Amino acid sequence: MAIYDPKSLKAEEFINDEEIRETLAYAEANKNNAELIDRILEKARPKKTANGHVCAGLTHREASVLLACEIPEKIEEMYKIAEEIKMAFYGNRIVIFAPLYLSNYCVNGCLYCPYHMKNKHIPRKKLTQEEVKAEVIALQDMGHKRLAIEAGEDPVNNPIEYILECIKTIYSVHHKNGDIRRVNVNIAATTVENYRKLKEAGIGTYILFQETYHKESYLQLHPTGPKHDYDYHTEAMDRAMEGGIDDVGLGVLFGLELYKYEFAGLIMHAEHLEAVHGVGPHTISVPRLKRADDINPDDFDNGIDDETFAKITACIRLAVPYTGMIISTRETEAVRAKLLRLGISQVSGGSRTSVGGYAEEERPHDTEQFDVSDQRSLDEVVRWLMEMGHIPSFCTACYREGRTGDRFMSLCKSGQILNCCHPNALLTLSEYLEDYASEETKKVGYAMVEKELAKIPNEKVRRIATEDIRNIRNSNRRDFRF
Ligand code: SAM
């Protein structure tokens, strides 16, 4: 039998079924142990230092106890601490991105995804480079600067060369004052050599959802195709890091398996990356299973309600305080508003999940990957965020200044966020307001910029940021950053 070892490179050892089962039993036995829960909460709380804050994070066992806990006041305390952590390391900034679907050709048989190979009635589509350009122009005209590219797995139709060509095209388009400054990539698990090529193409984060950490369920949910190989899929992040990509994004598709099992697996995966590579995941996404072409979420037994979803989000925030957290338009406005307070640091906006959807006037549904619950425009999302006190940020500075992997984590821990990320968020928000926002959003936005500029502690940084924003408003000069 496999023995649990976070430093091992073997899937069954770092995501160890026996360790997860013991963790769940421990969590269940201690879910009403108020004394232990208080100790864990105390450990999770951010501590003030001379330079800002530090946070200890939690082990998968500790975090699982919190997730199991049913004591209302302790859950309230978790939510409070999640918000404190969010404010300590991310402030009130929310990074904005959009997915870009390149191709829905797929040779896998995933039971929850409408792109599965047996689905013969959805039109299969793969963007040409001209179509990629048209999509990117439409996205730039909305105001986007960051994309996550998505594609099915198909070595013939979507080989790595196709993905690389698309990335090159995306970075080459500069429409009006627009450009895409960071391309994150969500494609199937691949080889070290291909990860190296993606790194050389200048990608930001490599994102791959585990879907489920439960091996038996994984094998059933992925009955055919290369994705059937659980170990190859689970070990992908190690290969990505070996290929030089140091920002990787984890995720579970909630609804496929029991959420407590998935949660323990997810935190163990983060611990494994930290133990082996010295840096944890850059982001964690929390997608929930959605209705799609021939997919009915009711056919799956493990759906979670909004309350449980909020608790999971808060517990992830407490366990891995330095990891960004992403919520997509799979969720409604109301759910997104709630989770933003509990630790989410990135949201998508104005998204279309169909291949070629942005260049179309009307939202097309025929090639959609899943139903989009939040169908508001980017302008509406930006204004909504500001009205709730969040600063929408289009910043890509860290990655472009080489602050990736552990260098990003150091910045996060250094307390320099208010002198670095905060002004960068205001600069990129000002670009958005000047070039793309409606009059109403502009009004709300500049009032926010004014107020937030005053919070920059370093006088020189504040002066430069104010001057740069004046330049953005009065000229076509763009892309200022710290
Ligand atoms: N093909 C790549 C792979 O296999 O990892 C990644 C791209 S896929 C377009 C992105 C993600 O969408 C998948 O990892 C899955 O978690 C999610 N997804 C698939 N079907 C979904 C559904 N019905 N509802 C919500 N999310 C879904």
Side-chain angles (χ1 to χ4, degrees):
M1 202 183 3
I3 308 282
Y4 175 51
D5 177 6
K7 284 204 161 122
S8 164
L9 293 174
K10 282 196 186 144
E12 60 177 352
E13 289 175 358
F14 66 82
I15 304 294
N16 181 255
D17 180 64
E18 201 189 354
E19 173 60 22
I20 297 183
R21 287 178 198 282
E22 278 177 21
T23 297
L24 300 190
Y26 173 76
E28 190 57 28
N30 285 290
K31 68 180 183 186
N32 293 317
N33 182 343
E35 202 185 310
L36 175 67
I37 290 165
D38 282 341
R39 268 207 313 274
I40 298 173
L41 288 172
E42 199 41 48
K43 183 181 172 199
R45 210 182 292 282
K47 310 282 179 311
K48 245 186 151 28
T49 66
N51 291 329
H53 288 89
V54 287
C55 232
L58 298 176
T59 65
H60 60 275
R61 287 210 174 201
E62 292 163 337
S64 292
V65 172
L66 295 190
L67 187 65
C69 164
E70 285 161 359
I71 309 168
E73 55 279 25
K74 304 293 176 207
I75 298 174
E76 270 318 301
E77 191 61 21
M78 282 175 220
Y79 289 179
K80 235 178 89 205
I81 297 174
E83 194 168 354
E84 278 173 35
I85 295 175
K86 160 91 192 327
M87 289 311 287
F89 299 113
Y90 291 89
N92 54 345
R93 288 166 294 108
I94 297 291
V95 168
I96 310 262
F97 75 99
L100 170 57
Y101 282 75
L102 300 177
S103 167
N104 64 0
Y105 282 95
C106 193
V107 297
N108 286 314
C110 315
L111 299 188
Y112 49 83
C113 179
Y115 292 172
H116 66 89
M117 200 181 181
K118 281 199 187 139
N119 189 346
K120 297 292 177 209
H121 67 272
I122 54 160
R124 297 288 167 171
K125 195 169 169 185
K126 164 188 172 181
L127 298 179
T128 63
Q129 295 312 303
E130 275 314 303
E131 287 169 329
V132 172
K133 262 187 211 158
E135 288 288 276
V136 172
I137 287 173
L139 283 155
Q140 288 185 4
D141 277 345
M142 287 161 72
H144 278 293
K145 297 282 187 274
R146 276 177 181 252
L147 300 182
I149 56 172
E150 313 271 342
E153 179 167 15
D154 186 329
V156 174
N157 287 297
N158 322 326
I160 193 72
E161 290 72 26
Y162 170 71
I163 304 291
L164 296 170
E165 199 185 353
C166 291
I167 295 170
K168 206 166 156 196
T169 301
I170 294 167
Y171 280 133
S172 75
V173 178
H174 302 285
H175 180 64
K176 297 183 181 164
N177 281 340
D179 50 359
I180 298 301
R181 299 172 182 162
R182 178 172 176 133
V183 177
N184 297 332
V185 174
N186 182 5
I187 60 164
T190 185
T191 59
V192 173
E193 197 192 342
N194 286 346
Y195 286 125
R196 200 162 282 129
K197 289 180 185 166
L198 287 169
K199 171 73 185 173
E200 280 161 14
I203 71 159
T205 311
Y206 172 66
I207 300 164
L208 181 70
F209 299 159
Q210 177 65 30
E211 321 299 6
T212 175
Y213 284 98
H214 190 286
K215 187 166 182 174
E216 221 178 286
S217 298
Y218 183 98
L219 296 176
Q220 282 164 12
L221 287 159
H222 306 93
T224 54
K227 197 166 171 176
H228 179 73
D229 188 337
Y230 175 88
D231 292 352
Y232 189 74
H233 189 82
T234 310
E235 292 159 8
M237 293 315 191
D238 297 299
R239 291 194 303 281
M241 286 190 156
E242 198 186 329
I245 297 173
D246 45 12
D247 285 350
V248 298
L250 304 180
V252 153
L253 185 54
F254 285 101
L256 298 180
E257 243 302 334
L258 293 172
Y259 70 90
K260 290 178 182 168
Y261 192 100
E262 304 293 27
F263 176 82
L266 185 63
I267 305 303
M268 282 164 78
H269 202 169
E271 288 168 343
H272 160 72
L273 295 177
E274 179 88 46
V276 175
H277 308 280
V279 56
H282 187 68
T283 55
I284 288 182
S285 300
V286 285
R288 274 196 291 189
L289 186 63
K290 293 278 306 181
R291 187 170 298 282
D293 182 69
D294 64 347
I295 307 298
N296 180 0
D298 298 338
D299 293 343
F300 297 79
D301 296 333
N302 297 305
I304 45 171
D305 59 28
D306 293 349
E307 234 357 274
T308 309
F309 194 42
K311 199 171 166 198
I312 294 170
T313 305
C315 287
I316 297 175
R317 181 67 304 145
L318 267 56
V320 284
Y322 302 113
T323 295
M325 284 183 72
I326 303 179
I327 192 97
S328 75
T329 55
R330 288 177 182 85
E331 299 300 333
T332 60
E333 175 182 338
V335 169
R336 280 161 43 107
K338 178 163 187 175
L339 298 199
L340 279 166
R341 301 241 163 265
L342 300 179
I344 295 293
S345 55
Q346 292 193 26
V347 300
S348 46
S351 305
R352 293 193 173 178
T353 65
S354 45
V355 182
Y358 293 106
E360 308 263 341
E361 196 113 328
E362 290 283 312
R363 177 182 291 275
H365 293 292
D366 58 345
T367 62
E368 253 184 350
Q369 198 198 10
F370 51 81
D371 285 359
V372 170
S373 291
D374 184 345
Q375 301 203 354
R376 292 172 298 167
S377 68
L378 181 60
D379 189 73
E380 288 170 302
V381 171
V382 165
R383 191 166 65 246
W384 166 75
L385 285 171
M386 295 190 297
E387 282 166 352
M388 291 188 299
H390 303 289
I391 308 173
S393 172
F394 295 84
C395 179
T396 54
C398 276
Y399 141 80
R400 291 158 80 223
E401 296 292 332
R403 294 189 295 257
T404 58
D406 54 352
R407 281 151 305 208
F408 168 77
M409 295 295 171
S410 311
L411 174 75
C412 209
K413 294 172 192 173
S414 71
Q416 283 307 306
I417 293 260
L418 269 176
N419 285 320
C420 188
C421 305
H422 190 74
N424 281 335
L426 298 178
L427 290 168
T428 56
L429 174 60
S430 301
E431 289 185 345
Y432 175 81
L433 297 173
E434 209 45 47
D435 292 335
Y436 308 105
S438 65
E439 280 311 311
E440 201 185 334
T441 303
K442 222 166 162 172
K443 217 167 92 199
V444 178
Y446 279 125
M448 171 169 248
V449 169
E450 197 74 11
K451 201 173 103 207
E452 294 290 334
L453 269 173
K455 292 187 188 165
I456 301 173
N458 183 306
E459 200 193 319
K460 190 173 166 207
V461 174
R462 191 166 63 239
R463 191 165 32 79
I464 296 172
T466 309
E467 181 59 30
D468 291 346
I469 289 173
R470 199 168 302 136
N471 274 316
I472 291 169
R473 296 189 74 168
N474 297 325
S475 74
N476 275 337
R477 288 180 60 197
R478 297 290 179 268
D479 204 10
F480 298 96
R481 61 178 183 263
F482 290 92

